Amino acid sequence: MRIALIFVYCYLFVHHGQAQERSFGTLPLINKPGIAASLASKKIDSVQYRKVLNIYNKLVQARGDFRFPVPSFNLITEERRVAGIDYDQLNIVLEEKALGVCNTFGAEADAAIAFLLAHELTHYYEKHAWRRSFAEDNKDLKIGLDLDKVTDAAANETEADYLGGFLAYSAGLGLFQKGSEIIQSLYKAYGLKNDIPGYPSLSDRQALSRRTAEKMASLVDVYDMANLLVATGKYTEAYEYYRYLLLTYQSREIYNNLGVTALLEAMKYFKETELKYRYPIELDLESSAAKGDPTLNMREKLLRQAILHFDAAISLDPNYAPAFLNKANAFALLGDLTRARFYANIEARQASKVGNYPKVDQDIDVLMGIIEARSNNVKGAQALFTKADKAGNALAKINLRVLLKQPPLKEIPAGTLWPQAEKIENLTLDELANDLRVDPKKTVSIKNQLEFLQTPIMGSGSKALVSLIRNDEKTIFHLATSTYTGKTARKIGIGDPRANIVLAYGEPNRSLETPLGQLMVYKNIIFIIGKEGKLERWANYK
């Protein structure tokens, strides 16, 4: 996902001398010495093409920015440029030979393909072409010459690797960290020398690739940390983490999650009797009073702030169903059930179908059930909760019990049945905290007096994530990644179904929905449930 290749912009005029063709990410490979641009390059329609097109479409959907037209994609037989974009035709291409190189990476082949395509898409969405194009069109003027001198192609290429890598990760295509290897493989496949006049050396490109991969991994960890802070109720801190991410990368998910933090913070200002149902608020991975009551003012302010963030997410992608659902949740909490119905049952419902969000569609039923219950339509609420419950929605089951006035399902505390302390890599959280070996290269300053600390990967697949405030207050998560092979104290491991977790730990007192699953938040452990209701990762926390 992140070949951190440093390349120079290039203009080739073909298509009657006018079409502007530019390739990024692999430019020396694109302009292979002695090979000219060809108008007759054959487009491929095959099983391989459809596989790559599927990856490309996932990246476009994950970017979620439909304010701009989406470039088309072609796989071609040409052996000149690896991957590139034609701005006049608005078309991104990948060469068949480059695809063959990606396929040599076995289980990581899709991630390698995603890197090349995400790199090109990032150039497009970040508008990297503008300054060079302006300089070229105005080279007879001093401003054109000055812009040409200050154009930093290396910075753009690094950013395309960095943000392209994050895009591929957010599309569910993995965290690809073999950029230096694929660079070398591409050089070999295209018969290029290690040193090409006018371009960085192969060794420099490989070194920059490794550094960019580290930076990219750090960005992913900041996002994971923000989501975990939300799960544990640290909304103010999480908000700052998301804001930090937005300075680098704007996406519908981040705007959505900013809104979720404001929405959940607002729920702190409700009385318990006002929140007897659990709302299907989706993190993408809570009385009567006199006029002027500051509590009412604060919660309304936060809820309306949340709506603005959800609107920002929707402006990027009008079919992003989670943001419509969360907007409906906000209106329901504001007491505006008419708008809540509209955004849930019409806007969110339509977006969930267009965008293929089956889990969101279930959560819409849950929210509609809450709306019917609050409107004193008990039968309607029961029907909606039952429908979602039969589809496997855990939140529906909880709300159905509330509606029917049945006792709530509870967590199973540690005791004689489960006396062992929770450990990852054979370390309790206290033991980890007492000997916390932070990697200084991974420290990120989120805001004044707020730092994000990390440890290197430990054992078979775990790491510690730390949010530090004013050098004294810490929130620590020991995260078991998807590669971790161990089990929890109650014998739960990666891939286990949600039902097994409930048997061992009970139903959590707190949970948070996601478009694909749920975060199950217990007293000192969080289970991250993904597709098909199976455990993807978990974290001990303190």
Side-chain angles (χ1 to χ4, degrees):
M1 282 181 346
R2 61 211 46 78
I3 318 173
L5 310 179
I6 310 175
F7 309 105
V8 183
Y9 298 108
C10 163
Y11 284 84
L12 291 177
F13 291 94
V14 294
H15 188 49
H16 303 294
Q18 297 298 320
Q20 185 185 85
E21 175 191 75
R22 207 176 291 156
S23 298
F24 302 103
T26 49
L27 183 60
L29 306 182
I30 297 162
N31 282 335
K32 185 176 178 180
I35 305 296
S38 171
L39 291 176
S41 181
K42 184 180 178 182
K43 296 176 182 178
I44 301 169
D45 185 6
S46 64
V47 173
Q48 282 290 298
Y49 164 73
R50 288 187 284 276
K51 168 191 170 183
V52 180
L53 180 62
N54 182 52
I55 293 171
Y56 181 77
N57 288 336
K58 284 182 180 179
L59 293 169
V60 170
Q61 289 298 320
R63 176 70 192 199
D65 188 347
F66 293 97
R67 297 171 300 174
F68 307 101
V70 177
S72 58
F73 169 74
N74 290 115
L75 182 66
I76 61 174
T77 57
E78 195 171 70
E79 295 184 8
R80 181 176 61 90
R81 50 184 176 168
V82 175
I85 181 170
D86 180 334
Y87 281 88
D88 285 351
Q89 300 298 321
L90 199 56
N91 181 47
I92 286 176
V93 299
L94 178 68
E95 293 182 353
E96 191 176 30
K97 180 182 281 288
L99 174 59
V101 171
C102 293
N103 285 335
T104 64
F105 283 79
E108 295 182 276
D110 285 2
I113 295 165
F115 162 75
L116 290 175
L117 300 178
H119 186 104
E120 299 298 333
L121 277 168
T122 298
H123 276 303
Y124 172 66
Y125 284 114
E126 297 298 323
K127 304 180 185 67
H128 286 163
W130 177 84
R131 187 160 59 181
R132 172 61 88 174
S133 179
F134 184 89
E136 179 70 20
D137 291 342
N138 297 279
K139 59 187 176 183
D140 57 323
L141 303 176
K142 184 178 184 301
I143 183 63
L145 293 173
D146 288 344
L147 280 171
D148 191 37
K149 290 177 183 176
V150 300
T151 297
D152 191 347
N156 284 347
E157 295 309 320
T158 302
E159 185 176 49
D161 274 351
Y162 176 41
L163 299 183
F166 189 73
L167 171 59
Y169 175 81
S170 65
L173 292 160
L175 189 60
F176 186 68
Q177 294 184 299
K178 295 182 178 179
S180 62
E181 294 178 32
I182 203 169
I183 294 170
Q184 191 168 35
S185 297
L186 288 167
Y187 264 64
K188 182 177 179 181
Y190 278 77
L192 291 167
K193 297 179 180 178
N194 290 347
D195 293 293
I196 303 171
Y199 299 110
S201 67
L202 173 59
S203 59
D204 282 349
R205 293 179 184 214
Q206 289 179 298
L208 187 57
S209 173
R210 287 187 288 268
R211 293 179 188 179
T212 304
E214 290 174 3
K215 188 177 180 183
M216 164 59 221
S218 177
L219 193 68
V220 169
D221 288 334
V222 169
Y223 187 68
D224 283 344
M225 185 59 160
N227 295 338
L228 289 169
L229 287 168
V230 173
T232 53
K234 297 279 188 176
Y235 306 131
T236 302
E237 283 177 61
Y239 193 85
E240 295 302 333
Y241 276 76
Y242 289 130
R243 279 166 55 94
Y244 172 86
L245 287 166
L246 276 177
L247 292 175
T248 301
Y249 186 82
Q250 295 76 45
S251 77
R252 60 189 185 181
E253 288 83 5
I254 297 174
Y255 279 116
N256 176 75
N257 291 359
L258 268 173
V260 168
T261 62
L263 198 158
L264 292 172
E265 181 71 23
M267 293 176 79
K268 290 182 177 180
Y269 295 89
F270 284 76
K271 293 180 180 179
E272 188 175 343
T273 54
E274 296 177 282
L275 294 175
K276 64 178 183 177
Y277 294 103
R278 286 203 205 174
Y279 286 75
I281 297 163
E282 289 193 350
L283 189 74
D284 204 15
L285 92 184
E286 258 165 332
S287 71
S288 63
K291 183 179 179 181
D293 187 317
T295 297
L296 280 178
N297 289 342
M298 179 56 73
R299 79 189 198 188
E300 181 171 342
K301 178 181 177 182
L302 286 165
L303 288 169
R304 295 202 179 279
Q305 179 182 334
I307 288 170
L308 291 176
H309 290 309
F310 299 138
D311 283 340
I314 292 166
S315 73
L316 290 174
D317 181 358
N319 291 314
Y320 184 52
F324 280 114
L325 172 62
N326 287 330
K327 187 173 180 177
N329 275 303
F331 278 119
L333 289 166
L334 282 166
D336 190 341
L337 298 186
T338 299
R339 291 191 192 183
R341 285 178 191 274
F342 172 75
Y343 282 107
N345 210 30
I346 297 191
E347 294 280 22
R349 190 81 75 183
Q350 177 66 19
S352 71
K353 287 180 171 58
V354 174
N356 191 24
Y357 290 93
K359 169 62 166 49
V360 176
D361 205 51
Q362 293 175 23
D363 286 340
I364 293 168
D365 285 336
V366 174
L367 178 56
M368 289 301 298
I370 293 172
I371 292 171
E372 294 303 331
R374 289 179 56 182
S375 302
N376 298 317
N377 180 6
V378 176
K379 287 186 177 179
Q382 184 173 352
L384 285 159
F385 289 150
T386 301
K387 175 187 172 186
D389 179 26
K390 287 181 178 178
N393 190 288
L395 202 60
K397 185 184 294 292
I398 292 168
N399 283 326
L400 184 58
R401 295 180 72 88
V402 173
L403 180 72
L404 300 178
K405 298 180 181 179
Q406 297 173 347
L409 301 171
K410 295 183 179 180
E411 294 183 14
I412 301 173
T416 53
L417 184 61
W418 305 104
Q420 299 91 346
E422 290 292 348
K423 295 182 178 182
I424 296 175
E425 308 289 7
N426 206 31
L427 289 170
T428 66
L429 209 56
D430 283 336
E431 290 169 340
L432 177 70
N434 290 335
D435 188 25
L436 195 62
R437 301 182 182 183
V438 170
D439 184 348
K441 293 181 181 179
K442 294 185 176 182
T443 297
V444 178
S445 179
I446 301 297
K447 191 181 178 183
N448 186 32
Q449 296 186 321
L450 177 61
E451 286 189 317
F452 174 50
L453 314 177
Q454 301 176 71
T455 64
I457 291 289
M458 296 179 278
S460 65
S462 76
K463 55 189 171 185
L465 308 178
V466 183
S467 186
L468 176 63
I469 303 176
R470 302 185 192 89
N471 294 317
D472 55 11
E473 183 181 333
K474 296 177 183 174
T475 303
I476 303 177
F477 298 90
H478 191 184
L479 180 66
T481 68
S482 59
T483 62
Y484 184 64
T485 57
K487 303 276 188 179
T488 70
R490 306 186 193 185
K491 310 305 179 186
I492 297 296
I494 301 297
D496 281 347
R498 186 185 190 277
N500 287 12
I501 298 172
V502 173
L503 283 174
Y505 288 85
E507 191 66 48
N509 295 331
R510 175 181 170 81
S511 62
L512 190 60
E513 301 308 300
T514 74
L516 297 178
Q518 187 183 57
L519 301 181
M520 303 172 71
V521 186
Y522 294 88
K523 185 177 179 181
N524 60 354
I525 188 169
I526 300 171
F527 294 105
I528 302 172
I529 307 300
K531 292 180 180 179
E532 300 177 359
K534 293 183 179 179
L535 180 63
E536 290 186 344
R537 295 176 292 166
W538 81 87
N540 296 334
Y541 72 95
K542 183 176 183 179

